[in-house]
Amino acid sequence: MTDTSETTRILIVDDSEDDSRLISRELSRENPEAVFRRVDTEQAMLSALRDQDWDLVISDHSMPSFDSVRALKTLREIQRSTPFIVYSGAYDHAKGVAAMIEGAEDYLYKSDPQRLLPVVRRELRNSRLRRAKDQAERAAHRMSLYDELTGLPNRRLLAHKIAARAAAPGAGAVTCIDIDRFMRINDSFGVATGDALLKQIGARLQTMLGLYDVLARLSGDRFSCLLWAVADAADARDQAERLLSVFATPFQQNGQGLFLTASVGCALLPDHGNDTDILLHGAEQSMAAAKKNGRNCIEIYDPKLAHGASKRLQLENALHYAVEREELFLVFQPMYEVSSQRASAAEALIRWRHERFGVVPPDQFIPLADETGHIIDIGDWVLRRACQQAREWQRAGHEPLAVSVNFSAAQFRDAHIQQRVRNALDESGLSPELLEMEITETVAMQDAEHAIATLRSLKRMGVRIAIDDFGTGYSSLSYLRRFPIDVLKIDRSFIKDLPDDGDSLSIVRTVVALARALRIIVVAEGVETAEQFQLLADEGVERVQGYHFSRPLSVEAFAQKFIAPPGQADPEATLLGPVTEAFGGAGIAAAA
Ligand code: C2E
Ligand code: MG
Ligand code: MG
């Protein structure tokens, strides 16, 4: 758990007890809760620094057995970012400058005590921001490579390892291990028991690994093991058998012995591919075949299983004609402003209705369209349609409603992106500040320098920029300062376990703190319950979006609910109903 407590801790390095008492009395006026501790030797300072994190160090310049320069060095070795203020009894300008060069935040004289409070105020503010940023960065880093529950590498880290393995000579194997009927465990014993079991399974599997093998948790009850070296398919099977032997002994849960089994799929490298996605996909497909064969067994990848690929080809082909055959349409999901309890924007979400495949969800076809390049035409259509729609609603209703549009990786890389946006705005007559462009964190981070340049040029056109699915990417939070961002959308995965999950809550808190410092609006995505909403509102989240308020709606349904026909101009009620009304508003049909 990250430390989110608000107590301010100030370490005073001073040999005079009286001076120290004066300082703490002065500072307590503004920070009545603050905790102070006085030290006057290097040893005492070291132990204070090891005991806990400090928000600020105030140090006298020279003491009988210690001085500010050594105090500063000691601090920097242990708590790099804690601000350090020299508060000196002697008036010595040269020493002051020297301290600043060494990295002190400020140099003050005890003869001039009224400067102390404002400087401390400033440094504490900076220190809090830095701490929030560090915490969020650490959390984001952990989340991006390791599975939080088991501490094992996640899919992303595994992918790196597989790529490294593929570059080396010889054969290896990628396995997919899925626990049989795990849903039942969760259903009958609860998720906490399920989680504890997953940890045990991970730990047991790990004892079976060879020196270079890598075990990862892919999701839920699904693990994957990269077997670094295998002789052939038979050897891969033997090694997988060995992994499965961990299920021979029962797992202990609340004094009960539970027998579990698993199904394993296995793809060989380089025989079945060198590409991470293909290998993992192959392993997953063969695991699915193992389940079909009655579970508790191992299947080696069979290229004939790859009929899934032809479905993909068919989709790809059909996608080609989707725009011209007018098979695409948009639905809109409102985003509510917590303060005014009104919807201030709508996110445009694409849908594809194909005569044979039915309604294909965007998660299935957007990545495909992105890879094949179809996304450029599709994205252009979405952008223009969304701008037109927003403009139409503005004409029909009274208050302007912002529209937000998702941009995929390929769209964002497109050299003509600015021109496309400009055209859509010109054509529709929508003012640029009513268009919000959503780019996922992962896309923004792929090539951060290029992203910054592109975002800046878009920003100059007056549109607003949102970072979508925030928290799921390789977040380098230091880039956030450099991205010209207006909005940060916290990914649904951090909302879904609220209010019970402490880690999600601390991530939400650090993101809110950071965003506030950078003057970025925070949106929580995927708010599904009243408790989640209340908690997020209490934490200072400014906007909310989710099924709790409304599912994505067809154009007609959206207009009916939110846009008053001209003539019925009740300026209070024209645009959108209050959130409280939306709470009770069950039964809003999802479009499509
Ligand atoms: P996204 O941009 O993060 O959009 C939010 C997704 O979460 C939408 O799924 C929305 O229906 C869903 N959602 C909203 N509230 C809740 C909730 O309370 N609970 C749950 N479980 N889900 C909620 P959808 O429409 O299926 O879109 C999925 C993704 O596809 C989007 O994620 C976006 O990345 C992409 N996408 C959708 N439309 C477009 C588009 O026009 N262009 C591009 N490039 N991508 C799009
Ligand atoms: Mg989005
Ligand atoms: Mg999102």
Side-chain angles (χ1 to χ4, degrees):
M1 270 289 305
T2 32
D3 177 15
T4 46
S5 76
E6 292 290 307
T7 316
T8 304
R9 299 189 184 86
I10 299 176
L11 183 63
I12 301 175
V13 185
D14 203 316
D15 57 323
S16 154
E17 246 199 281
D18 289 345
D19 284 2
S20 164
R21 209 172 297 127
L22 278 177
I23 294 172
S24 46
R25 193 181 308 147
E26 174 72 6
L27 299 184
S28 295
R29 287 196 290 149
E30 212 161 87
N31 298 286
E33 312 267 89
V35 173
F36 298 89
R37 181 150 148 200
R38 182 180 74 87
V39 293
D40 58 1
T41 64
E42 187 164 357
Q43 216 40 51
M45 182 171 181
L46 270 173
S47 89
L49 291 174
R50 290 197 177 118
D51 282 355
Q52 54 189 295
D53 281 342
W54 297 89
D55 295 289
L56 176 66
V57 175
I58 300 177
S59 171
D60 192 5
H61 196 62
S62 50
M63 290 148 272
S65 66
F66 202 28
D67 65 40
S68 60
V69 176
R70 271 170 54 212
L72 179 55
K73 282 219 176 86
T74 309
L75 174 69
R76 291 294 179 248
E77 269 160 31
I78 299 186
Q79 288 174 23
R80 211 149 243 309
S81 58
T82 304
F84 185 92
I85 299 174
V86 181
Y87 195 45
S88 167
Y91 194 81
D92 185 335
H93 190 61
K95 274 189 180 160
V97 172
M100 301 291 285
I101 289 171
E102 291 288 329
E105 262 64 28
D106 216 331
Y107 192 93
L108 308 174
Y109 299 107
K110 289 181 179 169
S111 54
D112 190 11
Q114 65 274 26
R115 278 201 62 204
L116 184 63
L117 202 53
V119 167
V120 165
R121 198 181 294 139
R122 181 194 72 203
E123 289 308 326
L124 283 180
R125 195 178 57 231
N126 290 344
S127 158
R128 268 183 217 117
L129 287 179
R130 262 196 302 266
R131 196 192 285 185
K133 183 174 154 262
D134 287 352
Q135 278 176 4
E137 231 157 41
R138 275 199 299 271
H141 182 73
R142 268 204 320 276
M143 278 178 318
S144 63
L145 292 176
Y146 290 92
D147 166 48
E148 282 192 86
L149 177 69
T150 59
L152 293 172
N154 64 12
R155 182 185 277 267
R156 191 192 310 257
L157 182 51
L158 178 72
H160 285 301
K161 301 280 183 186
I162 296 176
R165 178 61 191 86
V174 175
T175 64
C176 171
I177 306 164
D178 195 284
I179 315 304
D180 295 328
R181 300 195 170 93
F182 199 76
M183 278 295 276
R184 278 212 214 155
I185 304 268
N186 275 339
D187 290 347
S188 23
F189 300 101
V191 179
T193 299
D195 282 356
L197 280 169
L198 289 171
K199 280 195 202 171
Q200 283 186 44
I201 294 169
R204 280 197 193 178
L205 285 171
Q206 238 175 339
T207 63
M208 292 293 164
L209 300 184
L211 190 56
Y212 295 106
D213 297 348
V214 180
L215 178 70
R217 179 166 171 243
L218 298 180
S219 64
D221 58 333
R222 185 167 294 182
F223 296 81
S224 173
C225 181
L226 166 63
L227 299 169
W228 194 267
V230 303
D232 50 24
D235 182 35
R237 186 181 286 276
D238 287 347
Q239 294 195 38
E241 289 279 6
R242 230 168 78 81
L243 289 175
L244 279 190
S245 70
V246 306
F247 294 99
T249 16
F251 290 81
Q252 288 305 319
Q253 206 50 56
N254 305 332
Q256 263 187 354
L258 269 177
F259 276 100
L260 297 173
T261 60
S263 301
V264 179
C266 191
L268 302 180
L269 146 179
D271 285 6
H272 300 141
N274 265 321
D275 177 90
T276 302
D277 283 346
I278 291 179
L279 286 163
L280 264 175
H281 189 227
E284 282 177 330
Q285 263 190 327
S286 25
M287 182 277 295
K291 294 249 177 204
K292 262 197 215 134
N293 288 348
R295 304 188 173 89
N296 193 17
C297 60
I298 299 167
E299 284 294 328
I300 306 286
Y301 181 73
D302 172 354
K304 283 199 288 295
L305 290 172
H307 61 258
S310 70
K311 164 96 190 257
R312 188 191 137 108
L313 265 177
Q314 286 174 29
L315 268 186
E316 200 179 305
N317 213 15
L319 202 51
H320 202 78
Y321 303 103
V323 174
E324 60 185 74
R325 291 188 185 156
E326 301 189 357
E327 292 169 343
L328 301 176
F329 61 100
L330 292 182
V331 292
F332 292 85
Q333 188 178 30
M335 290 187 243
Y336 283 86
E337 221 59 47
V338 173
S339 62
S340 63
Q341 312 230 318
R342 281 166 177 270
S344 57
E347 175 167 22
L349 295 161
I350 195 169
R351 296 291 179 264
W352 177 23
R353 189 182 286 113
H354 185 266
E355 50 172 4
R356 222 152 25 89
F357 303 129
V359 176
V360 189
D363 289 336
Q364 273 179 34
F365 74 87
I366 293 289
L368 189 61
D370 199 54
E371 273 170 49
T372 55
H374 292 322
I375 194 71
I376 299 296
D377 283 346
I378 295 177
D380 219 14
W381 177 84
V382 171
L383 178 63
R384 290 158 64 186
R385 188 72 212 87
C387 289
Q388 272 166 14
Q389 192 59 64
R391 184 76 182 108
E392 267 170 43
W393 280 332
Q394 198 181 339
R395 289 206 179 97
H398 292 263
E399 286 170 56
L401 186 70
V403 70
S404 77
V405 174
N406 294 283
F407 281 73
S408 74
Q411 284 178 279
F412 188 58
R413 275 198 311 268
D414 176 10
H416 307 293
I417 184 170
Q418 289 88 354
Q419 197 51 48
R420 292 181 195 280
V421 171
R422 163 87 13 250
N423 287 349
L425 290 170
D426 288 350
E427 245 175 58
S428 61
L430 188 73
S431 38
E433 71 277 9
L434 291 180
L435 174 62
E436 232 163 68
M437 299 179 58
E438 294 194 5
I439 288 142
T440 65
E441 185 192 14
T442 313
V443 168
M445 290 295 162
Q446 261 161 20
D447 180 353
E449 294 303 328
H450 177 253
I452 290 171
T454 308
L455 292 176
R456 288 204 175 130
S457 73
L458 290 165
K459 197 71 211 156
R460 273 196 296 276
M461 294 170 50
V463 301
R464 292 158 58 83
I465 310 289
I467 297 292
D468 205 359
D469 303 348
F470 185 75
T472 57
Y474 278 102
S475 223
S476 165
L477 290 179
S478 56
Y479 273 110
L480 275 189
R481 290 169 184 278
R482 300 181 53 212
F483 282 140
I485 306 170
D486 303 282
V487 175
L488 208 58
K489 301 186 78 174
I490 306 181
D491 189 66
R492 186 164 82 223
S493 53
F494 303 114
I495 309 300
K496 78 178 183 352
D497 296 329
L498 291 179
D500 298 321
D501 183 59
D503 284 346
S504 297
L505 180 58
S506 47
I507 285 159
V508 168
R509 277 194 181 144
T510 45
V511 171
V512 169
L514 186 73
R516 190 170 285 162
L518 299 175
R519 296 176 200 285
I520 296 170
I521 294 176
V522 176
V523 183
E525 298 188 280
V527 181
E528 295 191 350
T529 68
E531 296 88 274
Q532 287 169 347
F533 168 69
Q534 198 49 55
L535 177 73
L536 292 162
D538 291 345
E539 289 299 331
V541 168
E542 286 135 306
R543 272 199 208 169
V544 285
Q545 178 180 0
Y547 294 171
H548 179 57
F549 310 102
S550 169
R551 289 185 175 254
L553 301 172
S554 68
V555 171
E556 295 73 18
F558 194 94
Q560 202 173 26
K561 188 158 171 6
F562 294 124
I563 312 293
Q568 296 187 8
D570 170 3
E572 283 307 303
T574 44
L575 196 53
L576 303 164
V579 172
T580 42
E581 186 182 289
F583 285 163
I588 302 164

